[in-house]
Amino acid sequence: MSDFDTSAAPADVVRRQYLASAAGDLTALRATLAPDVEWTEMAGFPLAGTYRTPDGVTSNVMEQLGKDWEGWTAHDDTYVVDGENVVVLARYTATNRATGKPVDVRVAHHFVVRGGLIVRFEQFVDTALVRAAMPN
């Protein structure tokens, strides 16, 4: 096991979350989340709302994205770290299963990491671009 795998550094914890998500490893993803995590999907996004608990996040967000979208991936590319705050600039790519329309949209994610676990997440995305690929 490498130092990265066990590091409590906020950027490392967040990066492990992205890697687990991309691999579809919900167990590893849940391991990055605090028991009382607050995960907020932006108003206007198909899964808008705040979800709590690691199981609540994966069942209401990741599993739902997998049902509605083929290949849903958050491609993280730029990290800005200030103490426990990690802002990630990323891109979502996927194809809607119902319409066959692709989505390719820039996003920003704000994470708060304490004690080696994500305690809060907030998503910022152009929801109109995501909705344009969905059924009317």
Side-chain angles (χ1 to χ4, degrees), residues 6-135:
T6 57
S7 171
D12 291 343
V13 173
V14 170
R15 179 69 179 139
R16 284 197 304 272
Q17 180 272 149
Y18 281 104
L19 291 170
S21 180
D25 186 345
L26 298 184
T27 301
L29 194 151
R30 283 189 290 271
T32 66
L33 304 176
D36 59 347
V37 65
E38 289 187 9
W39 187 280
T40 302
E41 298 286 313
M42 188 169 172
F45 191 71
L47 303 172
T50 298
Y51 305 96
R52 291 172 175 81
T53 77
D55 287 333
V57 170
T58 55
S59 65
N60 289 296
V61 179
M62 289 72 183
E63 290 178 20
Q64 296 308 309
L65 288 170
K67 289 177 185 174
D68 296 336
W69 300 87
E70 179 68 37
W72 184 273
T73 305
H75 307 271
D76 54 322
D77 57 51
T78 303
Y79 284 63
V80 180
V81 181
D82 181 18
E84 64 186 13
N85 293 283
V86 180
V87 174
V88 180
L89 304 179
R91 177 173 302 282
Y92 290 152
T93 59
T95 301
N96 187 270
R97 293 184 190 278
T99 66
K101 293 180 183 177
V103 67
D104 185 341
V105 62
R106 291 291 287 165
V107 300
H109 293 154
H110 174 221
F111 295 87
V112 177
V113 179
R114 288 188 193 123
L117 295 171
I118 297 165
V119 296
R120 192 165 43 248
F121 165 88
E122 187 174 6
Q123 170 201 57
F124 301 89
V125 61
D126 184 341
T127 59
L129 290 177
V130 175
R131 293 236 176 238
M134 299 174 64

